Amino acid sequence: MMANDHGTVLATMIFNLVAPAGVIAPVGVQLRYDSRNPYEISMKLNVGTDGQVDWVIARDLLADGLIAEAGEGDVRIRPRLDDPTLVMIEMSSPSGQATFEVNADQLADFVNDTYDVVAPGDEHRWMNVDEALSRLLSHNL
């Protein structure tokens, strides 16, 4: 672990929610990467008067989805085939699902900025296993 060298990357961008019948609605999103959790990216989606919705996804999933279809579970990411300047992010949960179009260059810039903080393949060097286990056990997981 790189004890005192922790870093954070923040980015605010617009995800376009693709609603039925092709209606597009802009949603403000904050992406956050913290070297204390080097495998994950948190997303805070502003849902207007209802507040925000928080998602956590794997950094590798986001990076992979920039170049090819990625994801098998609740989050799937892929380049849009007819417009390579956009990436599609599909999220599903028991309470619903949503599909977003996102600017590919902005996402790529964010992922690259996270690599400046923790290089791909070095994530394990930033983990404190005892601390991570304590967090999990304190939540009865």
Side-chain angles (χ1 to χ4, degrees):
M1 179 172 94
M2 314 284 185
N4 296 317
D5 297 333
H6 288 291
T8 302
V9 178
L10 295 172
T12 301
M13 58 185 71
I14 300 296
F15 284 19
N16 288 318
L17 175 64
V18 180
V23 174
I24 302 290
V27 175
V29 177
Q30 181 186 61
L31 299 174
R32 184 176 198 275
Y33 178 79
D34 187 325
S35 62
R36 288 177 183 88
N37 296 306
Y39 292 101
E40 68 184 47
I41 290 174
S42 64
M43 300 188 315
K44 294 187 182 292
L45 293 88
N46 181 358
V47 292
T49 57
D50 292 335
Q52 68 186 25
V53 174
D54 297 329
W55 279 80
V56 175
I57 63 171
R59 179 171 73 159
D60 287 348
L61 174 64
L62 184 57
D64 292 347
L66 288 167
I67 55 175
E69 188 169 335
E72 297 178 9
D74 294 340
V75 179
R76 296 172 186 247
I77 303 172
R78 63 179 165 77
R80 190 167 136 180
L81 296 177
D82 63 340
D83 186 350
T85 67
L86 297 173
V87 171
M88 305 301 293
I89 299 177
E90 299 169 354
M91 296 188 261
S92 62
S93 74
S95 60
Q97 62 184 39
T99 300
F100 298 94
E101 294 178 339
V102 185
N103 180 286
D105 288 338
Q106 288 180 338
L107 278 181
D109 288 346
F110 174 77
V111 170
N112 287 331
D113 288 346
T114 73
Y115 291 162
D116 290 340
V117 175
V118 176
D122 283 349
E123 294 90 352
H124 67 283
R125 294 181 181 183
W126 293 80
M127 293 291 299
N128 180 329
V129 175
D130 292 332
E131 182 181 310
L133 283 173
S134 291
R135 275 197 320 265
L136 288 172
L137 294 173
S138 71
H139 289 93
N140 296 321
L141 297 177

